[in-house]
């Protein structure tokens, strides 16, 4: 594989992030400016607010990433940017910045898929071995992806309604937790009894790799509602633990089903913001160790699970090696699919 020094930009949602990545493996810098505080009071990401923050921060974040890496733009082999999926106004800020740098410094431009980025975050931990299976769990996505080889993405299963992170955030809202609630709900779940409340394991026995999380969220909502009507107190820790156990069980079950049907797989990657979940990390490690001892599990460290530009740089390395360059007239694609 050829060598590369890539400046990568990620602005698909609510983090303005810029990284310098060497050979798709080594992070020279990875600055993540989070906007969470600005969105918290609205209980979710407000697209207009996100775009404005990206515009205000992007130049400074680029400068910080370059300074920390010890390089200038002129040293780069290419400029990589997240093209989609994501919020159109947010993506546009990064795409515009990437195109401008590519034009001014006469560098090739690489348009990266955000979800490919989440998967390739694992490459910053270990070399990837194919065929592999990846489970992407984030605020907007829940997908099981089979990769026969480098950059070949086959989505074998996905959520039919809410993404798992979205369900976490909605359940968190019901329990009055701050946004984004995943982390807080995870902490709360650690202190509760997971058998206290009945939460359905939707689609768990169905003969496919798809998921459904909206019923779990509704079950939490109904539990709280019914308790209020009866004048009963709910135990938030127990409800959080019961919800987490259901969500994790379904994810782990479908992941093992995918591995049973693809015995040729040698690595399993857990990707996306919800990969930070302690219950999911624990259950998945245990299940793989007992049922699939030959499959290597890669779960990136927390800072590489959430949105960050280093994962975009890792993914871009392969595009650079394949000379998969983009024209300077590319646009943001909010609904970009994996493999497109
Ligand atoms: O990948 P990400 O940073 O952004 C998207 O591309 O969506 O994922 C953010 C999601 C949010 O829904 C957040 O609540 C969830 O990841 N999350 C968690 C945990 N940490 C973050 N969900 C469950 N448990 C966690 N520990
Ligand atoms: Zn993401």
């Amino acid at each position: 594989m050829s060598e590369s020094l890539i400046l990568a930009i990620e602005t698909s949602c609510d983090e303005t992030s810029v990284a310098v990545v060497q050979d798709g493996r080594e992070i020279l810098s990875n600055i993540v400016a989070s906007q969470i505080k600005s969105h918290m009071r609205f209980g979710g990401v407000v697209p207009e607010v996100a775009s404005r923050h990206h515009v205000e921060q992007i130049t400074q974040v680029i400068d910080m990433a370059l300074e920390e890496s010890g390089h200038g733009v002129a040293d780069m082999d290419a400029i990589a940017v997240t093209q989609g999926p994501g919020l159109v106004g947010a993506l546009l800020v990064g795409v515009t910045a990437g195109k401008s740098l590519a034009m001014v410094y006469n560098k090739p431009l690489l348009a990266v898929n955000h979800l490919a980025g989440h998967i390739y975050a694992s490459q910053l931990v270990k070399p990837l071995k194919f065929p592999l299976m990846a489970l992407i769990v984030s605020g907007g996505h829940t997908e099981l992806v089979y990769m026969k080889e480098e950059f070949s993405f086959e989505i074998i299963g996905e959520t039919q309604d809410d993404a798992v992170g979205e369900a976490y955030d909605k359940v968190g809202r019901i329990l009055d937790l701050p946004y984004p609630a995943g982390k807080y709900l995870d902490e709360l779940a650690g202190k509760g009894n997971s058998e206290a409340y009945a939460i359905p394991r939707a689609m768990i026995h169905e003969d496919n790799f798809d998921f459904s999380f909206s019923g779990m969220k509704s079950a939490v909502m109904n539990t709280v509602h019914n308790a209020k009507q009866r004048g009963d107190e709910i135990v938030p820790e127990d409800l959080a633990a019961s919800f987490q156990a259901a969500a994790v069980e379904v994810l782990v079950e479908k992941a093992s089903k995918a591995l049973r049907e693809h015995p040729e797989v040698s690595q399993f990657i857990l990707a996306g913001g919800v990969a930070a979940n302690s219950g999911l990390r624990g259950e998945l490690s245990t299940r793989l160790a007992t049922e699939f001892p030959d499959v290597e599990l890669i779960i990136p460290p927390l800072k590489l699970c959430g949105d960050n530009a280093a994962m975009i740089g890792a993914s871009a390395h392969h595009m650079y090696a394949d000379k998969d360059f983009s024209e300077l007239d590319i646009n943001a694609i909010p609904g970009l699919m994996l493999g497109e």
Side-chain angles (χ1 to χ4, degrees), residues 9-291:
I9 303 173
E10 152 66 41
T11 63
S12 68
C13 191
D14 58 350
E15 329 274 357
T16 314
S17 181
V18 180
V20 176
V21 178
Q22 191 162 6
D23 305 334
R25 290 284 323 266
E26 200 188 333
I27 302 174
L28 302 192
S29 63
N30 187 23
I31 309 293
V32 182
S34 173
Q35 311 174 353
I36 280 175
K37 282 204 182 95
S38 307
H39 298 290
M40 228 170 197
R41 64 198 161 109
F42 301 109
V45 176
V46 184
E48 284 305 314
V49 175
S51 311
R52 200 161 355 107
H53 274 288
H54 286 308
V55 170
E56 282 165 10
Q57 294 184 324
I58 188 76
T59 315
Q60 203 185 338
V61 177
I62 291 171
D63 285 346
M64 285 166 74
L66 285 168
E67 193 184 328
E68 196 175 304
S69 77
H71 291 279
V73 186
D75 303 334
M76 300 297 141
D77 292 308
I79 311 294
V81 64
T82 304
Q83 186 178 25
L87 301 169
V88 66
L91 288 165
L92 268 173
V93 179
V95 168
T96 308
K99 289 200 290 194
S100 311
L101 286 173
M103 188 164 72
V104 171
Y105 288 89
N106 198 21
K107 301 285 177 187
L109 180 67
L110 301 163
V112 180
N113 182 301
H114 180 80
L115 299 176
H118 272 305
I119 295 176
Y120 275 86
S122 284
Q123 190 178 252
L124 298 162
V125 180
K126 269 192 184 140
L128 302 187
K129 282 188 272 174
F130 299 91
L132 64 77
M133 192 71 72
L135 176 61
I136 305 176
V137 280
S138 76
H141 293 270
T142 310
E143 273 143 18
L144 259 168
V145 184
Y146 176 71
M147 291 183 70
K148 189 162 175 259
E149 57 197 15
E150 204 85 76
F151 256 73
S152 129
F153 305 97
E154 186 192 342
I155 299 175
I156 61 165
E158 61 195 327
T159 182
Q160 304 298 298
D161 38 58
D162 290 354
V164 60
E166 187 181 355
Y168 262 91
D169 295 337
K170 287 177 177 170
V171 166
R173 209 169 171 161
I174 300 168
L175 296 179
D176 285 327
L177 300 174
Y179 175 87
K183 185 176 85 166
Y184 304 99
L185 201 59
D186 186 10
E187 279 166 20
L188 210 56
K191 300 178 209 147
N193 169 9
S194 63
E195 286 169 17
Y197 296 98
I199 307 293
R201 270 72 170 154
M203 300 185 78
I204 197 164
H205 298 302
E206 282 184 23
D207 193 19
N208 57 37
F209 304 110
D210 292 332
F211 308 92
S212 166
F213 294 100
S214 78
M216 296 184 195
K217 166 206 68 191
S218 303
V220 171
M221 210 183 280
N222 293 340
T223 305
V224 173
H225 183 73
N226 294 343
K228 259 193 197 142
Q229 279 193 330
R230 286 196 305 266
D232 292 346
E233 290 284 313
I234 59 139
V235 183
E237 290 83 356
D238 289 353
L239 194 48
S242 302
F243 166 77
Q244 177 145 310
V248 167
E249 194 179 322
V250 175
L251 288 166
V252 173
E253 196 51 51
K254 295 275 167 145
S256 341
K257 185 175 160 57
L259 286 175
R260 274 196 297 277
E261 293 205 12
H262 287 278
E264 72 280 16
V265 160
S266 53
Q267 267 181 348
F268 189 95
I269 290 175
L270 186 63
V274 185
N277 187 267
S278 63
L280 182 56
R281 293 169 93 97
E283 290 290 323
L284 192 64
S285 317
T286 311
R287 177 70 81 90
L288 258 62
T290 49
E291 211 180 317

